Each structure stands twice: as C-alpha cells, then as structure tokens.
C-alpha cells in the first residue's frame, strides 16, 4: 500500500518554462512534507519542505503548494534550468513518535531541455 | 563541513555471504537513518537511531538484517546470508534531532550475484 504516490515517472520541460511535479498521499496523519532532489550516483538532497499548517512555501525558484483536502502537493520550479534535471522525490512524515520516519514516493525524473 | 559519508560505494558479493555497510553521519547529528532503494522504487525506511539506541527496527526486512551505532556516531548495517533480492542502493541519512530535515549520504550500491 503506497502512502505517497508520484504518478508521473518522468517529465520533460523546456528551459525557462515552469516545471510542476505532483505528489498525492493517502495517510491523513501526515503533517510534514518534503521534496528531495537526486542526481545519479548521489544521495537525495533536501530541497524544500512544508508543514500542514501552511498551504504554500517558497524558496527562490522553488515553491511547494499543499492542498490538504485533496491530499495533494506540488513542487513548482520557475524558471526551469538544465541543472534542475534530476529525480525528485516527495516525502511525508506523521507527528509524534513516527516523525523520524519519512515515507517516500517513487520519484519523478525531470529533464529540462536547453 | 563534511557531509554524510558511506563506504563502500559499491559492493558485489556472492549469494550467501555476509556484508557490512558503513555510515559516518554529519558531526553533531544525533539521529541516523538507514533506507534502501530497490530498482524503480522509492526509498524504503529500514531503521532509525537516536544516539546509540534504535527505538524502531520494524523496517528491517528480515532477521538477516541488523544495525548498530557506536559512540553516537558511526553506524554499521550488516546483512547476513545475502540473497539476490537484497540487491539495492543502501542510503544513510542523519539529522540534528528527530524529525528534522535529513541529510543523505551517496549510498552503497549492493549487488548480490
């Protein structure tokens, strides 16, 4: 039973345009969400996070939107750059004793075309 | 500063052999995590350490898997009698405190032949 789903295994975007990566979750206990970026042969790198008390968090070119009623979050990258080409993982955690355990989606491979 | 390091970066072993994977977390990080990523899958949580204690071992796939952490720093993940389904990238992460953003190492790619 996959609790965090990234339904698009891949996405191609032209340089300078917006990249939108989507993530859905099923566990209503999740209250903290993160996006990680992974290059080949490297570990995932933390990108941006959002708490369930917010619906938007912005950091430079990266914005994460959270729709709790739809159990959906998205990562927007504007403008997209070739260096953004990587696999992006959505992750979530629940409060309390389980807050250490991140549940990851399977990832979306983003290709930014120059 | 130095990030999370893992060794070896690659390990090829024969089915039935034991392997040890090592993780050096970021200095001062009290929490340490092990994950694995099988081909085409997301990261699967294995075990979590707070200091030298592992409050939750429920993610370990079988009793062939064990992990320890010493001195609140280095951790070793041991897989006994490896099987082909153990082939995966094993990732270690650390954080300052429980629940904080986790910083990942580059992983160990394990191939069981």
């Amino acid at each position: 039973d996959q609790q965090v789903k990234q339904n698009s295994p891949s996405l191609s975007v032209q340089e300078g345009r917006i990249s939108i990566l989507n993530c859905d979750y099923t566990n209503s206990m999740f209250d903290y969400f993160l996006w990680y970026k992974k290059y080949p042969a490297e570990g995932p790198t933390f990108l941006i996070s959002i708490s369930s008390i917010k619906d938007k968090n912005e950091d430079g070119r990266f914005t994460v939107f959270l729709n709790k009623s739809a159990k959906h979050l998205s990562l927007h990258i504007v403008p997209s750059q070739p260096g953004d080409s990587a696999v992006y993982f959505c992750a979530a955690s629940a409060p309390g004793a389980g807050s250490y355990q991140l549940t990851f989606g399977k990832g979306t491979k983003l290709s930014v075309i120059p | 500063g130095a990030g999370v390091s893992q060794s070896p970066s690659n390990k090829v072993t024969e089915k039935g052999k034991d392997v040890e994977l090592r993780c050096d977390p970021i200095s001062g990080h009290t929490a340490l995590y092990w994950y694995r990523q099988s081909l085409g899958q997301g990261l699967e949580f294995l075990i979590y350490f707070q200091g030298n204690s592992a409050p939750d071992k429920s993610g370990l796939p079988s009793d062939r898997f064990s992990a320890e952490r010493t001195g609140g720093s280095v951790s070793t993940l041991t897989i006994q009698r490896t099987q082909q389904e153990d082939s995966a990238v094993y990732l270690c992460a650390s954080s300052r405190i429980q629940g904080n953003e986790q910083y990942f190492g580059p992983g160990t790619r394990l191939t069981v032949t």
Side-chain angles (χ1 to χ4, degrees), chain A residues 55-80:
Chain A
D55 55 17
K56 177 182 174 181
N57 189 24
E58 194 171 351
D59 183 3
R61 297 186 297 113
F62 303 90
T63 303
V64 56
F65 295 91
L66 176 62
N67 182 334
K68 289 186 289 294
S69 61
K71 295 193 179 67
H72 176 83
L73 64 155
S74 60
L75 174 68
H76 292 210
I77 307 173
V78 182
S80 301

mmCIF file with all atom_site columns, all heavy atoms in Angstrom, chain A residues 55-80:
data_model
loop_
_atom_site.group_PDB
_atom_site.id
_atom_site.type_symbol
_atom_site.label_atom_id
_atom_site.label_alt_id
_atom_site.label_comp_id
_atom_site.label_asym_id
_atom_site.label_entity_id
_atom_site.label_seq_id
_atom_site.pdbx_PDB_ins_code
_atom_site.Cartn_x
_atom_site.Cartn_y
_atom_site.Cartn_z
_atom_site.occupancy
_atom_site.B_iso_or_equiv
_atom_site.pdbx_formal_charge
_atom_site.auth_seq_id
_atom_site.auth_comp_id
_atom_site.auth_asym_id
_atom_site.auth_atom_id
_atom_site.pdbx_PDB_model_num
ATOM 1   N N   . ASP A 1 55 ? -0.201 26.394 3.343   1.00 0.00 ? 55 ASP A N   1
ATOM 2   C CA  . ASP A 1 55 ? -0.577 25.857 2.042   1.00 0.00 ? 55 ASP A CA  1
ATOM 3   C C   . ASP A 1 55 ? 0.424  26.234 0.956   1.00 0.00 ? 55 ASP A C   1
ATOM 4   O O   . ASP A 1 55 ? 0.287  25.804 -0.191  1.00 0.00 ? 55 ASP A O   1
ATOM 5   C CB  . ASP A 1 55 ? -1.998 26.307 1.645   1.00 0.00 ? 55 ASP A CB  1
ATOM 6   C CG  . ASP A 1 55 ? -2.157 27.806 1.678   1.00 0.00 ? 55 ASP A CG  1
ATOM 7   O OD1 . ASP A 1 55 ? -1.139 28.527 1.690   1.00 0.00 ? 55 ASP A OD1 1
ATOM 8   O OD2 . ASP A 1 55 ? -3.320 28.268 1.697   1.00 0.00 ? 55 ASP A OD2 1
ATOM 9   N N   . LYS A 1 56 ? 1.440  27.005 1.352   1.00 0.00 ? 56 LYS A N   1
ATOM 10  C CA  . LYS A 1 56 ? 2.447  27.404 0.359   1.00 0.00 ? 56 LYS A CA  1
ATOM 11  C C   . LYS A 1 56 ? 3.746  27.726 1.076   1.00 0.00 ? 56 LYS A C   1
ATOM 12  O O   . LYS A 1 56 ? 3.756  28.330 2.160   1.00 0.00 ? 56 LYS A O   1
ATOM 13  C CB  . LYS A 1 56 ? 1.939  28.645 -0.388  1.00 0.00 ? 56 LYS A CB  1
ATOM 14  C CG  . LYS A 1 56 ? 2.906  29.227 -1.403  1.00 0.00 ? 56 LYS A CG  1
ATOM 15  C CD  . LYS A 1 56 ? 2.316  30.484 -2.051  1.00 0.00 ? 56 LYS A CD  1
ATOM 16  C CE  . LYS A 1 56 ? 3.296  31.175 -2.967  1.00 0.00 ? 56 LYS A CE  1
ATOM 17  N NZ  . LYS A 1 56 ? 2.725  32.403 -3.562  1.00 0.00 ? 56 LYS A NZ  1
ATOM 18  N N   . ASN A 1 57 ? 4.846  27.308 0.463   1.00 0.00 ? 57 ASN A N   1
ATOM 19  C CA  . ASN A 1 57 ? 6.160  27.704 0.953   1.00 0.00 ? 57 ASN A CA  1
ATOM 20  C C   . ASN A 1 57 ? 7.056  27.947 -0.250  1.00 0.00 ? 57 ASN A C   1
ATOM 21  O O   . ASN A 1 57 ? 7.082  27.151 -1.182  1.00 0.00 ? 57 ASN A O   1
ATOM 22  C CB  . ASN A 1 57 ? 6.759  26.613 1.861   1.00 0.00 ? 57 ASN A CB  1
ATOM 23  C CG  . ASN A 1 57 ? 8.017  27.080 2.552   1.00 0.00 ? 57 ASN A CG  1
ATOM 24  O OD1 . ASN A 1 57 ? 8.223  28.279 2.738   1.00 0.00 ? 57 ASN A OD1 1
ATOM 25  N ND2 . ASN A 1 57 ? 8.858  26.152 2.950   1.00 0.00 ? 57 ASN A ND2 1
ATOM 26  N N   . GLU A 1 58 ? 7.770  29.057 -0.203  1.00 0.00 ? 58 GLU A N   1
ATOM 27  C CA  . GLU A 1 58 ? 8.550  29.483 -1.350  1.00 0.00 ? 58 GLU A CA  1
ATOM 28  C C   . GLU A 1 58 ? 10.005 29.668 -0.962  1.00 0.00 ? 58 GLU A C   1
ATOM 29  O O   . GLU A 1 58 ? 10.315 30.195 0.110   1.00 0.00 ? 58 GLU A O   1
ATOM 30  C CB  . GLU A 1 58 ? 7.973  30.818 -1.853  1.00 0.00 ? 58 GLU A CB  1
ATOM 31  C CG  . GLU A 1 58 ? 8.421  31.271 -3.197  1.00 0.00 ? 58 GLU A CG  1
ATOM 32  C CD  . GLU A 1 58 ? 7.624  32.481 -3.684  1.00 0.00 ? 58 GLU A CD  1
ATOM 33  O OE1 . GLU A 1 58 ? 6.622  32.849 -3.039  1.00 0.00 ? 58 GLU A OE1 1
ATOM 34  O OE2 . GLU A 1 58 ? 8.014  33.065 -4.700  1.00 0.00 ? 58 GLU A OE2 1
ATOM 35  N N   . ASP A 1 59 ? 10.884 29.232 -1.851  1.00 0.00 ? 59 ASP A N   1
ATOM 36  C CA  . ASP A 1 59 ? 12.322 29.427 -1.630  1.00 0.00 ? 59 ASP A CA  1
ATOM 37  C C   . ASP A 1 59 ? 12.974 29.614 -2.995  1.00 0.00 ? 59 ASP A C   1
ATOM 38  O O   . ASP A 1 59 ? 13.255 28.655 -3.695  1.00 0.00 ? 59 ASP A O   1
ATOM 39  C CB  . ASP A 1 59 ? 12.913 28.207 -0.910  1.00 0.00 ? 59 ASP A CB  1
ATOM 40  C CG  . ASP A 1 59 ? 14.393 28.387 -0.595  1.00 0.00 ? 59 ASP A CG  1
ATOM 41  O OD1 . ASP A 1 59 ? 14.956 29.465 -0.882  1.00 0.00 ? 59 ASP A OD1 1
ATOM 42  O OD2 . ASP A 1 59 ? 14.995 27.444 -0.046  1.00 0.00 ? 59 ASP A OD2 1
ATOM 43  N N   . GLY A 1 60 ? 13.177 30.875 -3.337  1.00 0.00 ? 60 GLY A N   1
ATOM 44  C CA  . GLY A 1 60 ? 13.788 31.179 -4.629  1.00 0.00 ? 60 GLY A CA  1
ATOM 45  C C   . GLY A 1 60 ? 12.916 30.720 -5.774  1.00 0.00 ? 60 GLY A C   1
ATOM 46  O O   . GLY A 1 60 ? 11.740 31.073 -5.872  1.00 0.00 ? 60 GLY A O   1
ATOM 47  N N   . ARG A 1 61 ? 13.486 29.892 -6.641  1.00 0.00 ? 61 ARG A N   1
ATOM 48  C CA  . ARG A 1 61 ? 12.733 29.400 -7.807  1.00 0.00 ? 61 ARG A CA  1
ATOM 49  C C   . ARG A 1 61 ? 11.773 28.267 -7.462  1.00 0.00 ? 61 ARG A C   1
ATOM 50  O O   . ARG A 1 61 ? 11.026 27.812 -8.317  1.00 0.00 ? 61 ARG A O   1
ATOM 51  C CB  . ARG A 1 61 ? 13.724 28.910 -8.877  1.00 0.00 ? 61 ARG A CB  1
ATOM 52  C CG  . ARG A 1 61 ? 14.637 30.001 -9.444  1.00 0.00 ? 61 ARG A CG  1
ATOM 53  C CD  . ARG A 1 61 ? 15.496 29.473 -10.597 1.00 0.00 ? 61 ARG A CD  1
ATOM 54  N NE  . ARG A 1 61 ? 16.413 28.424 -10.184 1.00 0.00 ? 61 ARG A NE  1
ATOM 55  C CZ  . ARG A 1 61 ? 16.322 27.160 -10.571 1.00 0.00 ? 61 ARG A CZ  1
ATOM 56  N NH1 . ARG A 1 61 ? 15.346 26.779 -11.394 1.00 0.00 ? 61 ARG A NH1 1
ATOM 57  N NH2 . ARG A 1 61 ? 17.198 26.266 -10.155 1.00 0.00 ? 61 ARG A NH2 1
ATOM 58  N N   . PHE A 1 62 ? 11.833 27.782 -6.227  1.00 0.00 ? 62 PHE A N   1
ATOM 59  C CA  . PHE A 1 62 ? 11.056 26.612 -5.827  1.00 0.00 ? 62 PHE A CA  1
ATOM 60  C C   . PHE A 1 62 ? 9.902  27.004 -4.910  1.00 0.00 ? 62 PHE A C   1
ATOM 61  O O   . PHE A 1 62 ? 10.090 27.724 -3.928  1.00 0.00 ? 62 PHE A O   1
ATOM 62  C CB  . PHE A 1 62 ? 11.957 25.600 -5.108  1.00 0.00 ? 62 PHE A CB  1
ATOM 63  C CG  . PHE A 1 62 ? 13.139 25.153 -5.928  1.00 0.00 ? 62 PHE A CG  1
ATOM 64  C CD1 . PHE A 1 62 ? 14.345 25.824 -5.875  1.00 0.00 ? 62 PHE A CD1 1
ATOM 65  C CD2 . PHE A 1 62 ? 13.011 24.061 -6.777  1.00 0.00 ? 62 PHE A CD2 1
ATOM 66  C CE1 . PHE A 1 62 ? 15.422 25.421 -6.652  1.00 0.00 ? 62 PHE A CE1 1
ATOM 67  C CE2 . PHE A 1 62 ? 14.083 23.650 -7.552  1.00 0.00 ? 62 PHE A CE2 1
ATOM 68  C CZ  . PHE A 1 62 ? 15.291 24.328 -7.494  1.00 0.00 ? 62 PHE A CZ  1
ATOM 69  N N   . THR A 1 63 ? 8.708  26.524 -5.258  1.00 0.00 ? 63 THR A N   1
ATOM 70  C CA  . THR A 1 63 ? 7.524  26.752 -4.434  1.00 0.00 ? 63 THR A CA  1
ATOM 71  C C   . THR A 1 63 ? 6.796  25.432 -4.261  1.00 0.00 ? 63 THR A C   1
ATOM 72  O O   . THR A 1 63 ? 6.597  24.707 -5.241  1.00 0.00 ? 63 THR A O   1
ATOM 73  C CB  . THR A 1 63 ? 6.571  27.772 -5.080  1.00 0.00 ? 63 THR A CB  1
ATOM 74  O OG1 . THR A 1 63 ? 7.279  28.997 -5.315  1.00 0.00 ? 63 THR A OG1 1
ATOM 75  C CG2 . THR A 1 63 ? 5.376  28.057 -4.162  1.00 0.00 ? 63 THR A CG2 1
ATOM 76  N N   . VAL A 1 64 ? 6.432  25.124 -3.035  1.00 0.00 ? 64 VAL A N   1
ATOM 77  C CA  . VAL A 1 64 ? 5.632  23.933 -2.778  1.00 0.00 ? 64 VAL A CA  1
ATOM 78  C C   . VAL A 1 64 ? 4.240  24.380 -2.345  1.00 0.00 ? 64 VAL A C   1
ATOM 79  O O   . VAL A 1 64 ? 4.092  25.284 -1.521  1.00 0.00 ? 64 VAL A O   1
ATOM 80  C CB  . VAL A 1 64 ? 6.296  23.000 -1.740  1.00 0.00 ? 64 VAL A CB  1
ATOM 81  C CG1 . VAL A 1 64 ? 6.573  23.715 -0.434  1.00 0.00 ? 64 VAL A CG1 1
ATOM 82  C CG2 . VAL A 1 64 ? 5.444  21.771 -1.506  1.00 0.00 ? 64 VAL A CG2 1
ATOM 83  N N   . PHE A 1 65 ? 3.244  23.744 -2.945  1.00 0.00 ? 65 PHE A N   1
ATOM 84  C CA  . PHE A 1 65 ? 1.844  24.017 -2.617  1.00 0.00 ? 65 PHE A CA  1
ATOM 85  C C   . PHE A 1 65 ? 1.250  22.761 -1.977  1.00 0.00 ? 65 PHE A C   1
ATOM 86  O O   . PHE A 1 65 ? 1.501  21.649 -2.436  1.00 0.00 ? 65 PHE A O   1
ATOM 87  C CB  . PHE A 1 65 ? 1.052  24.357 -3.878  1.00 0.00 ? 65 PHE A CB  1
ATOM 88  C CG  . PHE A 1 65 ? 1.476  25.633 -4.545  1.00 0.00 ? 65 PHE A CG  1
ATOM 89  C CD1 . PHE A 1 65 ? 2.447  25.618 -5.540  1.00 0.00 ? 65 PHE A CD1 1
ATOM 90  C CD2 . PHE A 1 65 ? 0.903  26.840 -4.182  1.00 0.00 ? 65 PHE A CD2 1
ATOM 91  C CE1 . PHE A 1 65 ? 2.841  26.796 -6.164  1.00 0.00 ? 65 PHE A CE1 1
ATOM 92  C CE2 . PHE A 1 65 ? 1.290  28.024 -4.799  1.00 0.00 ? 65 PHE A CE2 1
ATOM 93  C CZ  . PHE A 1 65 ? 2.264  27.999 -5.788  1.00 0.00 ? 65 PHE A CZ  1
ATOM 94  N N   . LEU A 1 66 ? 0.454  22.964 -0.942  1.00 0.00 ? 66 LEU A N   1
ATOM 95  C CA  . LEU A 1 66 ? -0.196 21.850 -0.259  1.00 0.00 ? 66 LEU A CA  1
ATOM 96  C C   . LEU A 1 66 ? -1.706 22.054 -0.245  1.00 0.00 ? 66 LEU A C   1
ATOM 97  O O   . LEU A 1 66 ? -2.188 23.093 0.194   1.00 0.00 ? 66 LEU A O   1
ATOM 98  C CB  . LEU A 1 66 ? 0.322  21.731 1.177   1.00 0.00 ? 66 LEU A CB  1
ATOM 99  C CG  . LEU A 1 66 ? -0.331 20.667 2.060   1.00 0.00 ? 66 LEU A CG  1
ATOM 100 C CD1 . LEU A 1 66 ? -0.098 19.267 1.491   1.00 0.00 ? 66 LEU A CD1 1
ATOM 101 C CD2 . LEU A 1 66 ? 0.193  20.752 3.488   1.00 0.00 ? 66 LEU A CD2 1
ATOM 102 N N   . ASN A 1 67 ? -2.423 21.049 -0.719  1.00 0.00 ? 67 ASN A N   1
ATOM 103 C CA  . ASN A 1 67 ? -3.883 21.045 -0.682  1.00 0.00 ? 67 ASN A CA  1
ATOM 104 C C   . ASN A 1 67 ? -4.305 19.884 0.206   1.00 0.00 ? 67 ASN A C   1
ATOM 105 O O   . ASN A 1 67 ? -4.366 18.737 -0.236  1.00 0.00 ? 67 ASN A O   1
ATOM 106 C CB  . ASN A 1 67 ? -4.445 20.897 -2.098  1.00 0.00 ? 67 ASN A CB  1
ATOM 107 C CG  . ASN A 1 67 ? -5.961 20.934 -2.140  1.00 0.00 ? 67 ASN A CG  1
ATOM 108 O OD1 . ASN A 1 67 ? -6.638 20.596 -1.159  1.00 0.00 ? 67 ASN A OD1 1
ATOM 109 N ND2 . ASN A 1 67 ? -6.513 21.323 -3.261  1.00 0.00 ? 67 ASN A ND2 1
ATOM 110 N N   . LYS A 1 68 ? -4.559 20.202 1.476   1.00 0.00 ? 68 LYS A N   1
ATOM 111 C CA  . LYS A 1 68 ? -4.836 19.125 2.448   1.00 0.00 ? 68 LYS A CA  1
ATOM 112 C C   . LYS A 1 68 ? -6.127 18.388 2.145   1.00 0.00 ? 68 LYS A C   1
ATOM 113 O O   . LYS A 1 68 ? -6.214 17.175 2.326   1.00 0.00 ? 68 LYS A O   1
ATOM 114 C CB  . LYS A 1 68 ? -4.883 19.710 3.861   1.00 0.00 ? 68 LYS A CB  1
ATOM 115 C CG  . LYS A 1 68 ? -3.517 20.143 4.378   1.00 0.00 ? 68 LYS A CG  1
ATOM 116 C CD  . LYS A 1 68 ? -3.591 20.578 5.813   1.00 0.00 ? 68 LYS A CD  1
ATOM 117 C CE  . LYS A 1 68 ? -4.313 21.901 5.999   1.00 0.00 ? 68 LYS A CE  1
ATOM 118 N NZ  . LYS A 1 68 ? -3.554 23.020 5.377   1.00 0.00 ? 68 LYS A NZ  1
ATOM 119 N N   . SER A 1 69 ? -7.127 19.113 1.689   1.00 0.00 ? 69 SER A N   1
ATOM 120 C CA  . SER A 1 69 ? -8.417 18.449 1.436   1.00 0.00 ? 69 SER A CA  1
ATOM 121 C C   . SER A 1 69 ? -8.296 17.434 0.313   1.00 0.00 ? 69 SER A C   1
ATOM 122 O O   . SER A 1 69 ? -8.942 16.394 0.325   1.00 0.00 ? 69 SER A O   1
ATOM 123 C CB  . SER A 1 69 ? -9.502 19.483 1.128   1.00 0.00 ? 69 SER A CB  1
ATOM 124 O OG  . SER A 1 69 ? -9.161 20.218 -0.027  1.00 0.00 ? 69 SER A OG  1
ATOM 125 N N   . ALA A 1 70 ? -7.437 17.744 -0.657  1.00 0.00 ? 70 ALA A N   1
ATOM 126 C CA  . ALA A 1 70 ? -7.232 16.819 -1.771  1.00 0.00 ? 70 ALA A CA  1
ATOM 127 C C   . ALA A 1 70 ? -6.092 15.849 -1.509  1.00 0.00 ? 70 ALA A C   1
ATOM 128 O O   . ALA A 1 70 ? -5.826 14.968 -2.333  1.00 0.00 ? 70 ALA A O   1
ATOM 129 C CB  . ALA A 1 70 ? -6.954 17.600 -3.051  1.00 0.00 ? 70 ALA A CB  1
ATOM 130 N N   . LYS A 1 71 ? -5.391 16.019 -0.379  1.00 0.00 ? 71 LYS A N   1
ATOM 131 C CA  . LYS A 1 71 ? -4.198 15.215 -0.070  1.00 0.00 ? 71 LYS A CA  1
ATOM 132 C C   . LYS A 1 71 ? -3.236 15.248 -1.257  1.00 0.00 ? 71 LYS A C   1
ATOM 133 O O   . LYS A 1 71 ? -2.781 14.214 -1.766  1.00 0.00 ? 71 LYS A O   1
ATOM 134 C CB  . LYS A 1 71 ? -4.571 13.779 0.287   1.00 0.00 ? 71 LYS A CB  1
ATOM 135 C CG  . LYS A 1 71 ? -5.382 13.634 1.577   1.00 0.00 ? 71 LYS A CG  1
ATOM 136 C CD  . LYS A 1 71 ? -5.436 12.170 2.005   1.00 0.00 ? 71 LYS A CD  1
ATOM 137 C CE  . LYS A 1 71 ? -6.201 11.978 3.291   1.00 0.00 ? 71 LYS A CE  1
ATOM 138 N NZ  . LYS A 1 71 ? -7.642 12.270 3.162   1.00 0.00 ? 71 LYS A NZ  1
ATOM 139 N N   . HIS A 1 72 ? -2.921 16.452 -1.654  1.00 0.00 ? 72 HIS A N   1
ATOM 140 C CA  . HIS A 1 72 ? -2.099 16.643 -2.845  1.00 0.00 ? 72 HIS A CA  1
ATOM 141 C C   . HIS A 1 72 ? -1.102 17.768 -2.587  1.00 0.00 ? 72 HIS A C   1
ATOM 142 O O   . HIS A 1 72 ? -1.428 18.790 -1.976  1.00 0.00 ? 72 HIS A O   1
ATOM 143 C CB  . HIS A 1 72 ? -2.988 17.020 -4.031  1.00 0.00 ? 72 HIS A CB  1
ATOM 144 C CG  . HIS A 1 72 ? -2.240 17.332 -5.284  1.00 0.00 ? 72 HIS A CG  1
ATOM 145 N ND1 . HIS A 1 72 ? -1.807 16.346 -6.148  1.00 0.00 ? 72 HIS A ND1 1
ATOM 146 C CD2 . HIS A 1 72 ? -1.832 18.509 -5.806  1.00 0.00 ? 72 HIS A CD2 1
ATOM 147 C CE1 . HIS A 1 72 ? -1.166 16.914 -7.152  1.00 0.00 ? 72 HIS A CE1 1
ATOM 148 N NE2 . HIS A 1 72 ? -1.177 18.218 -6.978  1.00 0.00 ? 72 HIS A NE2 1
ATOM 149 N N   . LEU A 1 73 ? 0.135  17.554 -3.043  1.00 0.00 ? 73 LEU A N   1
ATOM 150 C CA  . LEU A 1 73 ? 1.092  18.651 -3.031  1.00 0.00 ? 73 LEU A CA  1
ATOM 151 C C   . LEU A 1 73 ? 1.820  18.696 -4.358  1.00 0.00 ? 73 LEU A C   1
ATOM 152 O O   . LEU A 1 73 ? 1.854  17.693 -5.102  1.00 0.00 ? 73 LEU A O   1
ATOM 153 C CB  . LEU A 1 73 ? 2.072  18.581 -1.864  1.00 0.00 ? 73 LEU A CB  1
ATOM 154 C CG  . LEU A 1 73 ? 3.053  17.435 -1.727  1.00 0.00 ? 73 LEU A CG  1
ATOM 155 C CD1 . LEU A 1 73 ? 4.244  17.881 -0.911  1.00 0.00 ? 73 LEU A CD1 1
ATOM 156 C CD2 . LEU A 1 73 ? 2.382  16.266 -1.020  1.00 0.00 ? 73 LEU A CD2 1
ATOM 157 N N   . SER A 1 74 ? 2.361  19.863 -4.651  1.00 0.00 ? 74 SER A N   1
ATOM 158 C CA  . SER A 1 74 ? 3.075  20.022 -5.906  1.00 0.00 ? 74 SER A CA  1
ATOM 159 C C   . SER A 1 74 ? 4.294  20.911 -5.678  1.00 0.00 ? 74 SER A C   1
ATOM 160 O O   . SER A 1 74 ? 4.317  21.748 -4.771  1.00 0.00 ? 74 SER A O   1
ATOM 161 C CB  . SER A 1 74 ? 2.168  20.616 -6.981  1.00 0.00 ? 74 SER A CB  1
ATOM 162 O OG  . SER A 1 74 ? 1.687  21.886 -6.594  1.00 0.00 ? 74 SER A OG  1
ATOM 163 N N   . LEU A 1 75 ? 5.278  20.681 -6.495  1.00 0.00 ? 75 LEU A N   1
ATOM 164 C CA  . LEU A 1 75 ? 6.503  21.475 -6.489  1.00 0.00 ? 75 LEU A CA  1
ATOM 165 C C   . LEU A 1 75 ? 6.577  22.221 -7.816  1.00 0.00 ? 75 LEU A C   1
ATOM 166 O O   . LEU A 1 75 ? 6.510  21.591 -8.868  1.00 0.00 ? 75 LEU A O   1
ATOM 167 C CB  . LEU A 1 75 ? 7.734  20.578 -6.318  1.00 0.00 ? 75 LEU A CB  1
ATOM 168 C CG  . LEU A 1 75 ? 9.093  21.264 -6.433  1.00 0.00 ? 75 LEU A CG  1
ATOM 169 C CD1 . LEU A 1 75 ? 9.310  22.199 -5.252  1.00 0.00 ? 75 LEU A CD1 1
ATOM 170 C CD2 . LEU A 1 75 ? 10.204 20.230 -6.517  1.00 0.00 ? 75 LEU A CD2 1
ATOM 171 N N   . HIS A 1 76 ? 6.705  23.529 -7.743  1.00 0.00 ? 76 HIS A N   1
ATOM 172 C CA  . HIS A 1 76 ? 6.837  24.353 -8.934  1.00 0.00 ? 76 HIS A CA  1
ATOM 173 C C   . HIS A 1 76 ? 8.263  24.893 -9.012  1.00 0.00 ? 76 HIS A C   1
ATOM 174 O O   . HIS A 1 76 ? 8.787  25.417 -8.006  1.00 0.00 ? 76 HIS A O   1
ATOM 175 C CB  . HIS A 1 76 ? 5.852  25.530 -8.895  1.00 0.00 ? 76 HIS A CB  1
ATOM 176 C CG  . HIS A 1 76 ? 4.419  25.115 -9.013  1.00 0.00 ? 76 HIS A CG  1
ATOM 177 N ND1 . HIS A 1 76 ? 3.445  25.930 -9.586  1.00 0.00 ? 76 HIS A ND1 1
ATOM 178 C CD2 . HIS A 1 76 ? 3.772  23.978 -8.665  1.00 0.00 ? 76 HIS A CD2 1
ATOM 179 C CE1 . HIS A 1 76 ? 2.288  25.302 -9.553  1.00 0.00 ? 76 HIS A CE1 1
ATOM 180 N NE2 . HIS A 1 76 ? 2.452  24.120 -8.996  1.00 0.00 ? 76 HIS A NE2 1
ATOM 181 N N   . ILE A 1 77 ? 8.847  24.767 -10.170 1.00 0.00 ? 77 ILE A N   1
ATOM 182 C CA  . ILE A 1 77 ? 10.187 25.314 -10.401 1.00 0.00 ? 77 ILE A CA  1
ATOM 183 C C   . ILE A 1 77 ? 10.074 26.327 -11.534 1.00 0.00 ? 77 ILE A C   1
ATOM 184 O O   . ILE A 1 77 ? 9.692  25.977 -12.647 1.00 0.00 ? 77 ILE A O   1
ATOM 185 C CB  . ILE A 1 77 ? 11.187 24.202 -10.790 1.00 0.00 ? 77 ILE A CB  1
ATOM 186 C CG1 . ILE A 1 77 ? 11.176 23.056 -9.761  1.00 0.00 ? 77 ILE A CG1 1
ATOM 187 C CG2 . ILE A 1 77 ? 12.603 24.783 -10.910 1.00 0.00 ? 77 ILE A CG2 1
ATOM 188 C CD1 . ILE A 1 77 ? 12.016 21.846 -10.170 1.00 0.00 ? 77 ILE A CD1 1
ATOM 189 N N   . VAL A 1 78 ? 10.365 27.583 -11.198 1.00 0.00 ? 78 VAL A N   1
ATOM 190 C CA  . VAL A 1 78 ? 10.257 28.643 -12.202 1.00 0.00 ? 78 VAL A CA  1
ATOM 191 C C   . VAL A 1 78 ? 11.421 29.627 -12.051 1.00 0.00 ? 78 VAL A C   1
ATOM 192 O O   . VAL A 1 78 ? 11.588 30.177 -10.957 1.00 0.00 ? 78 VAL A O   1
ATOM 193 C CB  . VAL A 1 78 ? 8.932  29.429 -12.036 1.00 0.00 ? 78 VAL A CB  1
ATOM 194 C CG1 . VAL A 1 78 ? 8.811  30.484 -13.122 1.00 0.00 ? 78 VAL A CG1 1
ATOM 195 C CG2 . VAL A 1 78 ? 7.734  28.517 -12.064 1.00 0.00 ? 78 VAL A CG2 1
ATOM 196 N N   . PRO A 1 79 ? 12.171 29.935 -13.104 1.00 0.00 ? 79 PRO A N   1
ATOM 197 C CA  . PRO A 1 79 ? 12.177 29.215 -14.381 1.00 0.00 ? 79 PRO A CA  1
ATOM 198 C C   . PRO A 1 79 ? 13.024 27.953 -14.281 1.00 0.00 ? 79 PRO A C   1
ATOM 199 O O   . PRO A 1 79 ? 13.979 27.887 -13.512 1.00 0.00 ? 79 PRO A O   1
ATOM 200 C CB  . PRO A 1 79 ? 12.843 30.235 -15.313 1.00 0.00 ? 79 PRO A CB  1
ATOM 201 C CG  . PRO A 1 79 ? 13.791 30.993 -14.413 1.00 0.00 ? 79 PRO A CG  1
ATOM 202 C CD  . PRO A 1 79 ? 13.127 31.050 -13.064 1.00 0.00 ? 79 PRO A CD  1
ATOM 203 N N   . SER A 1 80 ? 12.692 26.964 -15.047 1.00 0.00 ? 80 SER A N   1
ATOM 204 C CA  . SER A 1 80 ? 13.456 25.714 -15.035 1.00 0.00 ? 80 SER A CA  1
ATOM 205 C C   . SER A 1 80 ? 14.796 25.917 -15.733 1.00 0.00 ? 80 SER A C   1
ATOM 206 O O   . SER A 1 80 ? 14.903 26.636 -16.724 1.00 0.00 ? 80 SER A O   1
ATOM 207 C CB  . SER A 1 80 ? 12.668 24.613 -15.761 1.00 0.00 ? 80 SER A CB  1
ATOM 208 O OG  . SER A 1 80 ? 11.416 24.420 -15.138 1.00 0.00 ? 80 SER A OG  1
#
